[in-house]
Amino acid sequence: MAAVVTRDIVKTFGEVPAVNGISLNVPNGEFMVLLGPSGCGKTTFLRIICGLERQTSGDLLIGGDLVNDMPPRARGVAMMFQSYGLYPHFTVRNNIAFPLKTQGIPGAEISKKVEWASQLLGIGHLLDRRPRQLSGGERQRVALARALVRQPTALLLDEPLSNLDAKLRTSARQEIKQFQQRVGVTTIYVTHDQVEAMGMGDRIAVIDRGQVRQVGTPSEIYNDPADRFVATFVGAPPMNIVARNGGYLGFRPENFLPKDMVKDMVKDAAFTEFQFRVDRSEYLGSERIVYGVLEGFDTNEVVTAKLPPVHVAEAWIRPGEWHPFAVRDAALRHFGNDGKRTSRH
Amino acid sequence: MRRSSLVGVLQETSFYGAVAFFFVLAAFPFYWMLITSFKTNADLYNVNVTPFWFHDPPTLEHFRYLFDKTLFATWLLNSLIIGVCVTAITLVTALPAAYSLARMTGRNGEALGIGIFLTYLVPPTLLFLPLSRVIVDLGLQNSLWSLVVVYPTFTIPFCTWLLMGFFKALPVEIEEAAIVDGCSLFGAFVKMAIPLSLPGILTVVIFTFTLTLQEFVYALTFISAADQKPITLGVATDLVRGDVFFWGEIMAGALIASVPVAIAYNLFLDRFIGGITGGAVK
Ligand SMILES: Nc1ncnc2c1ncn2[C@@H]1O[C@H](COP(=O)(O)OP(=O)(O)OP(=O)(O)O)[C@@H](O)[C@H]1O
Ligand SMILES: [Mg+2]
């Protein structure tokens, strides 16, 4: 177990930079989530850390040692591949045991650990099958077990839960998080699912086009986004952004509420009022998402409101109607013309 | 109803008709070899009966002649030695070559691979001249070891190119996972790439073995001592005397040489090709 530190890592394929100067400091035992859209360089970054790819420039330190020129096996990093990379000619048992065997761990201990890892992920009954006899989700769990089974310096997981159904995903999320806390292994977890990112990460690094946009705890990322990209990438539905006074104003859908409600809530704190024309609304069971536009703003800027259960009833709100809405001033976020966060304008 | 069943019958008939045609085409030479090797000479040269079946009882006289009056057993052994050695040399050379071309040379690998393959197409009738100098310099003239040296010059290029295709078809994640799990590059090659390309390796083995077994030009030019000859050469030179063809013996020799190869083809090819790499990646 060791800290992973990267300094200005750049990786270009031909002309195209896949990773464009990532400096990230993952302390020992931290669960760091890399969150970003498809093609932003997450996998490439992990491959650089585990040594399958050599960075074009920049330094990588694992446990304080510069490992730029160390081969993968000397780095002691475990990685779960986005596409699994199971060993098709081995049984599930031997797949999971393989990283232990290469380390020369005695047989009795190997079988104990394999047993433990397979129980953890609920694949104990599959140990004697081969990868081609497994479903997609089962393969994914075998790959995950193979990464978890040894004591790595750092654990790299590349979208480990993307192929599981919702229920399994929730329980696997629990398992991974608990495992990580118990073992205390430094973990870098790649996902583009923000629920996973928010729920699991000690900290989240939001990545876009090969660069880190913001690193912070889930609540920092959510409540204090550093720029418009982070603000609109995290949260579902994303933060509303409207142009105002040469800059941008942002507020989360759940803070955009009928004026009366806001008034009750904030007591005497300040709030900003908007006239909201409802265009369309979606009923989602526990909440209602309303889409519309604001009076006095560009009508191309669709604004969403997430209404709490009190207002879920259909009768209350109808398309075409204008309603007074408001946002607490404390929940307003300001962005400059370049998209960066500003305190006010 | 009737119409469609008639069409069905016609389709079936033409399908099996075509299959039967190609079956006869492919199997007839083999059948001819088989019956010829068991016919008595009197039966063989009797032009007044249909030649497709026995008229005298089958005989083993040709086989007896082969083993008693010629060095057939030695030739067989020579061919086996040459085949095994050449196959081993080919595998040891072509496997790492193909792997590095497939995985480590980027886009140049493709061009290099095709370049190597092209050398396979240079005909032996051109190459035996320079190669005979090499053989003389090595002091291997008139020895079966000259063929062990020469045959890899055409088996290695072809097999390298063939194996390259197999390695390219393997998902690279398998070897990468092995490397991250603690293998060296060589370890990943030995533990993952080689077992997973077993169908390719078997193809190479069978191909190389067959090729050395049937090669004639180099054998004819480099070897004249009867006890050093491989089977193709021995049968063709010692069983054709002037313009007398010992047809029964020639066919018996061919039969003995071809049956093991046919069995090997049927056992290995179908069983191993395909289905090994399933399930490795998404
Ligand atoms: N070997 C390569 N050669 C050329 N370009 C590559 C290579 N590998 C990745 N890229 C490019 O680098 C960029 C980042 O790829 P990467 O696989 O790291 O994305 P990702 O963030 O993991 O995406 P996803 O979420 O879809 O897995 C992409 O634009 C991709 O096309
Ligand atoms: Mg990826």
Side-chain angles (χ1 to χ4, degrees):
Chain A
M1 276 156 264
V4 177
V5 176
T6 69
R7 292 198 195 124
D8 210 19
I9 298 254
V10 175
K11 174 74 191 180
T12 51
F13 292 107
E15 299 287 282
V16 198
V19 173
N20 198 358
I22 293 188
S23 296
L24 203 62
N25 190 345
V26 189
N28 190 5
E30 185 174 67
F31 196 115
M32 170 67 85
V33 174
L34 304 185
L35 178 66
S38 190
C40 72
K42 305 179 297 285
T43 300
T44 308
F45 186 58
L46 286 197
R47 288 171 60 86
I48 291 170
I49 296 177
C50 72
L52 287 171
E53 209 87 63
R54 175 71 158 89
Q55 66 268 33
T56 313
S57 68
D59 286 332
L60 171 65
L61 292 94
I62 297 177
D65 301 325
L66 194 65
V67 296
N68 287 352
D69 299 310
M70 269 196 203
R73 78 196 120 105
R75 301 186 185 191
V77 169
M79 166 136 154
M80 176 189 165
F81 289 73
Q82 191 169 7
S83 54
Y84 317 149
L86 297 179
Y87 309 131
H89 54 315
F90 287 178
T91 58
V92 169
R93 184 190 309 281
N94 287 337
N95 262 281
I96 301 176
F98 189 76
L100 302 173
K101 281 183 186 158
T102 59
Q103 292 180 324
I105 290 172
E109 196 175 332
I110 290 182
S111 40
K112 226 168 51 203
K113 287 196 163 181
V114 170
E115 205 59 38
W116 165 82
S118 57
Q119 290 306 324
L120 184 73
L121 290 158
I123 47 175
H125 58 295
L126 304 172
L127 284 179
D128 293 314
R129 295 213 202 153
R130 276 170 212 281
R132 67 167 171 279
Q133 300 163 316
L134 303 176
S135 76
E138 287 165 347
R139 283 175 201 168
Q140 197 160 41
R141 279 180 282 160
V142 174
L144 188 53
R146 189 177 65 185
L148 298 182
V149 75
R150 62 176 167 151
Q151 305 269 310
T153 50
L155 179 60
L156 312 179
L157 304 173
D158 198 350
E159 302 190 17
L161 308 181
S162 57
N163 254 24
L164 305 186
D165 61 52
K167 193 171 152 220
L168 253 173
R169 190 179 307 190
T170 315
S171 71
R173 214 153 67 197
Q174 291 276 344
E175 299 288 1
I176 294 179
K177 183 69 189 170
Q178 273 171 12
F179 165 83
Q180 194 271 341
Q181 278 171 344
R182 198 169 61 235
V183 182
V185 59
T186 313
T187 304
I188 302 180
Y189 185 107
V190 163
T191 181
H192 45 217
D193 179 340
Q194 39 169 311
V195 181
E196 261 169 40
M198 301 291 286
M200 298 176 81
D202 293 331
R203 286 196 300 158
I204 299 174
V206 182
I207 299 181
D208 180 40
R209 276 176 268 149
Q211 286 177 317
V212 174
R213 289 305 190 94
Q214 185 177 5
V215 187
T217 62
S219 87
E220 280 166 4
I221 298 283
Y222 192 78
N223 294 318
D224 292 308
D227 59 21
R228 280 182 59 191
F229 175 81
V230 177
T232 48
F233 191 72
V234 179
M239 184 180 267
N240 296 305
I241 303 276
V242 291
R244 198 176 76 170
N245 300 346
Y248 295 93
L249 188 65
F251 47 90
R252 297 251 171 231
E254 64 270 24
N255 294 326
F256 184 57
L257 295 169
K259 185 181 157 193
D260 303 338
M261 253 181 100
V262 176
K263 223 192 237 161
D264 291 345
M265 249 160 55
V266 300
K267 302 287 178 315
D268 32 48
F271 61 86
T272 305
E273 206 180 318
F274 300 93
Q275 282 297 318
F276 181 52
R277 192 192 72 209
V278 177
D279 288 337
R280 189 163 67 82
S281 80
E282 283 170 0
Y283 171 70
L284 299 178
S286 66
E287 63 203 23
R288 179 176 288 280
I289 311 288
V290 182
Y291 302 84
V293 291
L294 300 182
E295 189 184 46
F297 289 90
D298 187 349
T299 47
N300 287 327
E301 291 170 332
V302 176
V303 169
T304 54
K306 192 192 250 180
L307 297 182
V310 198
H311 291 295
V312 160
E314 177 89 49
W316 182 79
I317 205 159
R318 262 178 244 99
E321 291 176 350
W322 287 90
H323 287 277
F325 267 57
V327 184
R328 277 177 295 133
D329 282 0
L332 286 176
R333 299 288 174 263
H334 305 272
F335 301 94
N337 219 354
D338 56 354
K340 291 262 177 289
R341 180 85 180 276
T342 55
S343 57
R344 184 137 291 253
H345 44 247
Chain B
M1 180 70 208
R2 283 188 66 88
R3 219 186 117 80
S4 72
S5 76
L6 188 68
V7 170
V9 167
L10 273 178
Q11 270 178 349
E12 292 264 295
T13 323
S14 52
F15 173 72
Y16 285 108
V19 169
F21 173 74
F22 285 111
F23 174 76
V24 169
L25 205 66
F28 182 75
F30 197 84
Y31 171 75
W32 192 252
M33 173 171 80
L34 189 73
I35 56 165
T36 307
S37 63
F38 287 105
K39 275 186 184 177
T40 60
N41 275 331
D43 188 5
L44 202 53
Y45 297 117
N46 185 349
V47 289
N48 297 321
V49 294
T50 48
F52 300 117
W53 192 239
F54 294 99
H55 301 283
D56 292 347
T59 168
L60 286 174
E61 86 181 74
H62 303 307
F63 290 88
R64 225 171 283 131
Y65 181 88
L66 266 186
F67 285 100
D68 293 348
K69 305 270 171 53
T70 72
L71 289 171
F72 186 77
T74 313
W75 300 335
L76 207 57
L77 186 68
N78 287 349
S79 272
L80 190 71
I81 292 171
I82 295 169
V84 169
C85 291
V86 171
T87 306
I89 292 173
T90 305
L91 279 181
V92 167
T93 321
L95 275 171
Y99 187 72
S100 23
L101 283 171
R103 286 287 194 250
M104 275 163 257
T105 46
R107 245 174 254 139
N108 302 333
E110 191 75 35
L112 269 172
I114 291 173
I116 290 176
F117 175 69
L118 286 181
T119 67
Y120 168 72
L121 301 179
V122 180
T125 39
L126 278 181
L127 275 181
F128 80 82
L129 291 168
L131 280 175
S132 63
R133 282 302 307 266
V134 176
I135 297 303
V136 170
D137 286 350
L138 290 174
L140 293 176
Q141 62 271 47
N142 216 356
S143 152
L144 67 90
W145 297 107
S146 62
L147 299 183
V148 174
V149 173
V150 167
Y151 287 166
T153 60
F154 58 85
T155 57
I156 289 173
F158 183 82
C159 294
T160 302
W161 179 77
L162 191 84
L163 285 170
M164 234 176 101
F166 275 92
F167 287 135
K168 281 222 169 116
L170 287 184
V172 70
E173 284 89 348
I174 298 174
E175 292 136 64
E176 289 182 342
I179 287 173
V180 173
D181 280 347
C183 281
S184 60
L185 187 63
F186 184 72
F189 169 62
V190 171
K191 288 188 190 143
M192 302 296 151
I194 288 189
L196 288 173
S197 48
L198 198 62
I201 293 173
L202 280 172
T203 313
V204 163
V205 167
I206 291 175
F207 173 83
T208 310
F209 205 84
T210 324
L211 219 58
T212 61
L213 205 61
Q214 69 182 31
E215 205 286 330
F216 189 75
V217 174
Y218 286 133
L220 181 68
T221 43
F222 294 147
I223 295 179
S224 51
D227 67 339
Q228 296 290 312
K229 285 177 181 171
I231 187 162
T232 32
L233 187 62
V235 167
T237 54
D238 289 26
L239 296 176
V240 184
R241 308 235 169 97
D243 57 357
V244 183
F245 286 70
F246 289 60
W247 280 121
E249 286 76 10
I250 291 175
M251 290 302 175
L255 185 70
I256 292 174
S258 62
V259 163
V261 177
I263 290 175
Y265 265 75
N266 282 310
L267 273 189
F268 291 129
L269 280 184
D270 288 355
R271 188 169 307 175
F272 285 107
I273 287 191
I276 288 193
T277 57
V281 293
K282 258 183 197 173

